[in-house]
Amino acid sequence: MASVGAILLFLPVAWTCSPQKADYVMVSCFPNAIIANVPECPYGWEIDQLSLGGVCYSGIRSPGYFRFVISDLTPKNHSYCGTLSEYIPGKDPRYIFYNSIVSNDTSLTVRNQPVNYTFSCIYRAAYLVNNAVFSQRVATVYVNNGSLGTFRSQLSMSVFTNSKFLYARDAPYVIDTSEIGSEVFMGIEAKGLSNRFKVVINNCWATPTPYSTDKKRWSLIFNSCPSDTTVTIFENAKDSRSMFKFNSFRFQRLEKVSTVWLHCEVTVCDGERLNCIPSPCSVRSPSSEAEPSGGILTAEFQLKGNSFSNNGSIKGTSLFILLLVLINTCCDLVNRSEM
């Protein structure tokens, strides 16, 4: 009997999921990617039985959902996981991307109702090839909730004037170098969706180039937690808007007039289906890896210095400060020599 028990211990277990109603899909059209979420196990289909465009079995399990990502939005690429693109000319030319999540059972008999989630995303035609993103600062989120209809939202990231987050500043956002270290207030909001949908900030970082993948970066938020004491998260995953602040800075060895790009990886979470609140930062491992699960929004900050006039001469205030520094340095050298 003991040997039988050992054999049973190593028998493979056939995991089956509980069938879910399949009339719900949420599609997020980010400048760099398209993310489609469908309920896990729609009508009993396993994740390895669902494909993107009938080509890529690349679904990712996330709490309550199966997630499919189109990470290549190059307009000339008509074949990424079955993605099709259409160019619409005119005064405001646009690209439309089409794809679908379909079921495919290779067994002899099919016992589950077939599913076919067809979706599309529309972008203005200005595509930045070097950055691999569309030149827009917002994402569009579509929620098809069956008989309740389809809801559309604009997900945007803005700079606000103060901690009340009442008034957004106009772009481009300009920071004088004399204001380096001042507080910058950021808000990410989904307009057009009910409060059941929560905006979740996963990660935020800054780069000296427009590329979100630039290895030279400064982390601000990591796994929904502040990366250091200069970052404060006011609200996250509690409402249709999340807010935080950080102290402005600049990268070393940049020109007098330069630019810093802020990138935030964001997701929209259905609060009626999931617990959207991240776990407390105090109970997390600081070495845990950040797993990308959302799309990226980018804001551009222009740094302008007033330390130099147009002809390159030093202004009076800067000259006075420079003289003080030189005097203090000389005094230190004299004191050290006397010692």
Side-chain angles (χ1 to χ4, degrees):
M1 292 296 293
S3 60
V4 173
I7 293 174
L8 292 176
L9 181 64
F10 291 100
L11 285 177
V13 178
W15 295 100
T16 59
C17 55
S18 300
Q20 302 290 328
K21 194 175 182 180
D23 62 349
Y24 179 98
V25 60
M26 181 166 61
V27 179
S28 300
C29 309
F30 283 93
N32 68 311
I34 298 174
I35 302 174
N37 290 281
V38 299
E40 62 181 350
C41 304
Y43 290 123
W45 292 98
E46 298 282 357
I47 194 169
D48 57 359
Q49 297 175 314
L50 298 175
S51 63
L52 185 60
V55 178
C56 299
Y57 291 84
S58 55
I60 304 171
R61 292 182 182 273
S62 59
Y65 293 95
F66 292 159
R67 186 173 73 248
F68 293 82
V69 180
I70 301 175
S71 57
D72 185 356
L73 297 182
T74 308
K76 294 183 179 180
N77 187 347
H78 294 271
S79 59
Y80 182 86
C81 290
T83 303
L84 300 177
S85 64
E86 176 185 359
Y87 175 72
I88 302 178
K91 293 183 179 180
D92 188 13
R94 297 172 181 265
Y95 277 101
I96 304 180
F97 291 85
Y98 304 92
N99 210 324
S100 59
I101 300 170
V102 297
S103 56
N104 182 22
D105 194 345
T106 57
S107 61
L108 183 61
T109 59
V110 179
R111 300 182 181 276
N112 298 330
Q113 177 180 331
V115 296
N116 186 333
Y117 298 96
T118 301
F119 57 89
S120 62
C121 287
I122 303 176
Y123 295 89
R124 291 183 175 175
Y127 184 81
L128 307 179
V129 177
N130 292 335
N131 302 358
V133 298
F134 280 92
S135 61
Q136 61 186 49
R137 302 305 183 195
V138 299
T140 305
V141 180
Y142 298 94
V143 178
N144 188 336
N145 200 11
S147 60
L148 297 179
T150 300
F151 304 91
R152 178 178 179 269
S153 171
Q154 288 285 349
L155 186 64
S156 60
M157 179 165 62
S158 303
V159 180
F160 287 81
T161 55
N162 53 43
S163 59
K164 294 183 179 180
F165 294 93
L166 296 178
Y167 305 103
R169 295 173 54 183
D170 295 330
Y173 313 118
V174 179
I175 299 177
D176 192 275
T177 52
S178 63
E179 299 175 345
I180 294 297
S182 61
E183 295 179 330
V184 178
F185 300 91
M186 303 298 303
I188 302 178
E189 183 177 12
K191 295 182 179 179
L193 293 179
S194 66
N195 287 335
R196 68 178 273 186
F197 295 97
K198 316 300 181 183
V199 172
V200 184
I201 302 175
N202 299 327
N203 303 286
C204 288
W205 64 98
T207 63
T209 67
Y211 309 111
S212 62
T213 56
D214 195 328
K215 293 183 178 179
K216 186 174 184 180
R217 60 173 58 192
W218 183 259
S219 177
L220 298 174
I221 296 176
F222 180 78
N223 277 347
S224 300
C225 295
S227 295
D228 57 45
T229 56
T230 66
V231 180
T232 301
I233 300 176
F234 296 104
E235 295 282 349
N236 191 21
K238 294 182 180 180
D239 206 336
S240 58
R241 183 170 70 171
S242 292
M243 300 91 74
F244 68 96
K245 75 174 180 70
F246 65 95
N247 291 353
S248 59
F249 62 91
R250 65 179 303 174
F251 288 92
Q252 293 183 5
R253 292 184 292 275
L254 289 179
E255 297 297 330
K256 182 177 62 175
V257 178
S258 56
T259 307
V260 172
W261 280 265
L262 174 66
H263 314 274
C264 284
E265 181 207 339
V266 185
T267 57
V268 177
C269 177
D270 190 342
E272 290 188 3
R273 292 172 173 262
L274 301 173
N275 178 18
C276 302
I277 302 297
S279 58
C281 298
S282 58
V283 300
R284 301 192 212 175
S285 171
S287 61
S288 61
E289 292 290 333
E291 297 182 359
S293 60
I296 297 174
L297 293 176
T298 299
E300 179 181 330
F301 293 86
Q302 296 180 2
L303 304 178
K304 292 187 177 181
N306 291 326
S307 300
F308 297 87
S309 61
N310 293 333
N311 59 8
S313 61
I314 302 178
K315 291 186 176 181
T317 302
S318 299
L319 180 60
F320 178 72
I321 296 175
L322 180 59
L323 288 174
L324 286 179
V325 173
L326 291 175
I327 292 173
N328 289 334
T329 303
C330 292
C331 290
D332 289 340
L333 292 175
V334 172
N335 292 333
R336 289 178 182 177
S337 63
E338 291 178 352
M339 293 177 64

